Amino acid sequence: MSRPLLPLKAGAIVFTLLWTAWMMWWSGSFSSANVIILALCGAAVGYLWYRAMRWQFERMGMLPGKDDASGAS
């Protein structure tokens, strides 16, 4: 795991957990099907949030670009 991305990955995990918990609380239904569907949706939302934040931080120059991270010149 790359060091500059560690806080971003941790933030994505926390975001995923909070989003999933909020959606479960908001729906009010704790059936097994609802929990599975919301967990899958939460994983997708967390992944999309991570990709969007990584793109934005690379664009702002706060993270090394994909070419810089490879180490090959």
Side-chain angles (χ1 to χ4, degrees), residues 1-9 63-64:
M1 191 178 303
S2 178
R3 273 289 188 215
L5 295 177
L6 189 61
L8 184 59
K9 290 178 181 181
L63 288 175

Side-chain angles (χ1 to χ4, degrees), residues 52-73:
M53 291 298 105
R54 182 173 175 174
W55 175 78
Q56 182 64 27
F57 289 157
E58 285 176 356
R59 196 171 74 93
M60 292 171 42
M62 296 173 66
L63 288 175
K66 292 176 182 146
D67 298 334
D68 298 338
S70 66
S73 297

Side-chain angles (χ1 to χ4, degrees), residues 12-13 15-21 23-24 34-49:
I13 291 170
F15 179 79
T16 299
L17 293 174
L18 289 174
W19 186 90
T20 303
M23 288 295 114
M24 285 184 193
N34 193 34
V35 170
I36 290 170
I37 290 170
L38 287 175
L40 291 174
C41 290
V45 167
Y47 178 73
L48 292 174
W49 183 86

